[in-house]
Amino acid sequence: MVKIKGFAEWLPEHQLLQDEIIATIKEQFQLHGFAPLLTRSIEHLEDLLDQGETDKEIYAVNKLGSDSQAEWGLHYDLTVPFARYVSENQGRLQFPYRRYQIQPAWRGERPQLGRFREFIQADADIVNKGSLELRHDADLLSMFQNTLSKLPIPATQMVINNRKLLQGFYQGLGVDDIVPVLRAVDKLPKVGSEETLQTLIREGLSDGKAQAVLDLCAIKATSSEELEVVGDLGVSSELLSEGLAELGEVLDRANSSTIATPVAAALHIARGFDYYTGTVAETEMLDYPDVGSICSGGRYENLVHGDREAIPGVGFSIGVTRLISYGLNHEFLSSEKVSPATVLVAVNSEDKRADSDAVANQLRRRGIACMVSDSDAAYGKQIKVAERLGIDYVWFPQAEGDEVKSLGGRSQEPADSTNWVPNS
Amino acid sequence: MVKIKGFAEWLPEHQLLQDEIIATIKEQFQLHGFAPLLTRSIEHLEDLLDQGETDKEIYAVNKLGSDSQAEWGLHYDLTVPFARYVSENQGRLQFPYRRYQIQPAWRGERPQLGRFREFIQADADIVNKGSLELRHDADLLSMFQNTLSKLPIPATQMVINNRKLLQGFYQGLGVDDIVPVLRAVDKLPKVGSEETLQTLIREGLSDGKAQAVLDLCAIKATSSEELEVVGDLGVSSELLSEGLAELGEVLDRANSSTIATPVAAALHIARGFDYYTGTVAETEMLDYPDVGSICSGGRYENLVHGDREAIPGVGFSIGVTRLISYGLNHEFLSSEKVSPATVLVAVNSEDKRADSDAVANQLRRRGIACMVSDSDAAYGKQIKVAERLGIDYVWFPQAEGDEVKSLGGRSQEPADSTNWVPNS
């Protein structure tokens, strides 16, 4: 009976908050025509080990008492299972295929504030056979920025970059091995410029090249026009031009529709996973920089194994558990509701409980969540129970006409269960 | 890239169906004041092995490459994790505590139709410190029967029994070891009377006692009055009387409010798990007896470890994955919607895509799910895409005034995105 570190379980009031957040995300994704998907929790280990540096983080799953080696592992994100699902079902899906997926993922990392071993992610991706137009990157960014703005959280900003731009820049600089440079850049916000510079020099870059890498990282822009400063760094390559054009187009399109906070380009964004090939994105909480990214993702050209042609995709993922844990810790999220009920129907005396049940059933038929008091204690005590549960109204069934008390407003009014509505 | 047997993954149209079913269940549970809970997926192995005959079915979870023995296993139901959660948080919860929980569970059984290794369950339980009144068993049965009647499935009936009644009857008969008798009875519907009789005799019961056990199993009733026939079997014990009184009270109360199909007592119901102590329930699909129970559960007095006093509970669980797999197989469930969108906004030509985006955003702001066509192909082709996705309406943005086509009704009417509603 010991809590397991890194495996979050919320109290009822925070569960309700999580439920509200998930419902809002789901609603926005569905409004955009994204279809739900739940994949199995396990994958073949070789499929999990195929992607990036993740081997040490995987939980293996095996029949208890089995003599053979584990063949399965719990998925560490929702992109890899989604790619596998699309690959398996490519003959039966309608393309472009838009799906969202809200379920747990697992990583055996050392737990700390905001980093869990079991955590709920909310992903939305679009994939297509053959090719997937660049406008989807922008449309999806708008959808996510819009979704985040509907959540009960402070202002967020999505910041993007492009892998081709980064790789093209490093190639233009004459760097041979790009991977360690990408990794060093990915850690920049955590370790700072000075340490990143030293790491790059240790990786064999000249002082000048290392400085150029850092100069690129410092660039921020909210339009293709503002991105033109990249040219001033004096580096060029075909891939750099391509990445720059893509990034500019995505930025301009994402910001063409009115969204709460414009999407920004920030050229230090790299993203750890190896499967990204174009757009990459992270999301900052503007007043809480220490929270890190609460929504990340990007474009992947080669993750889904198409039978006859490529199946490129783009998708982003909101870290629901991370958001809630930071929100509770930093107190930008809170919840007073412990029960989802809107009304507590009081019980006058046990022999009249049936009257209270009848009121409750009538309210429920009309879509109003309620519970019947568990005791026939004095009304003052029943009201206290409602207050503890964060229930807004207490209903008193009475022979001479029912009454309902609003606990917020402290008023008590006659009411009829066949037509009463909350906040009336 | 091989499917894993027993781990269900649905196509988008069946995912939508599952989503609809889960949303309906959730809505009903919330209307009754049950609060959401998600527990972690893993439990300490000793907690899982503590309950009943489940050791061979557990999936152990261990860090990949770890040298030490696995300490955790995936939960095989949602009752054990719930009991552990209540026990851990008993100082911080409001009692009686009502919660629902909809998430996967795992069992390493041999997969077959309706039996999965990973499956979604929808549970609702109520627990209280000290004691929990019997009316909760009845109220919860009504809630579940009501919930099942809202699902898009054929008629179901909840059938109940009482463990005290069974144990009291066996004691009254003079049977010493009750467990093998309970197990034999539990298998009766599968193997039939003759084989059960032989099993009971093999367990050491005389022919007469074995026959009495079977006679009890044959009794069915929908009221306490009808239950009086149990007395005719000539067996008596204090526990039998107690169980009989409880069963009658639960039955009468559950059937006192109008529900689609009355709850019935069927005295062969035993339920495999060892933690039930009173009411036990299963649910039959009346026209599909081979489906087996789609909703089961019962009362447990000792599952939650209270610090100072007992924390008894009662709860039932709908087998969502089981229901969907049988429903698709037996064709009592079907779905034509592949996309959650209600409207496909057509694109006249790529240079006018912004007009279509504007219509879509307007509709979304008004809560109408839509997607913008992925191509500017001939309208006939765009309509075909909507048909393939099960989308009901196609919207045509036009300079001279927008029009919307209902694919069901084949009509096409002028429409304004600021006030149009579906089915109008």
Side-chain angles (χ1 to χ4, degrees), chain B residues 177-252:
Chain B
D177 190 1
I178 283 170
V179 175
V181 179
L182 266 176
R183 291 213 181 117
V185 166
D186 198 34
K187 295 205 181 89
L188 172 63
K190 268 184 220 148
V191 305
S193 305
E194 196 45 46
E195 194 174 323
T196 306
L197 200 67
Q198 296 312 320
T199 307
L200 291 169
I201 291 167
R202 221 177 305 121
E203 291 291 344
L205 272 67
S206 69
D207 289 13
K209 287 180 180 179
Q211 188 55 51
V213 168
L214 281 188
D215 289 347
L216 185 76
C217 286
I219 293 174
K220 287 192 164 50
T222 53
S223 69
S224 55
E225 212 183 327
E226 287 174 31
L227 272 177
E228 284 167 14
V229 294
V230 174
D232 302 344
L233 297 179
V235 176
S236 69
S237 80
E238 214 173 299
L239 197 60
L240 171 58
S241 303
E242 197 185 320
L244 201 53
E246 282 192 3
L247 184 61
E249 191 181 328
V250 169
L251 205 53
D252 290 345

Side-chain angles (χ1 to χ4, degrees), chain B residues 114-128:
Chain B
R115 191 161 73 190
F116 291 86
R117 291 174 157 177
E118 178 177 59
F119 49 95
I120 295 172
Q121 295 286 115
D123 282 33
D125 289 68
I126 177 167
V127 292
N128 195 31

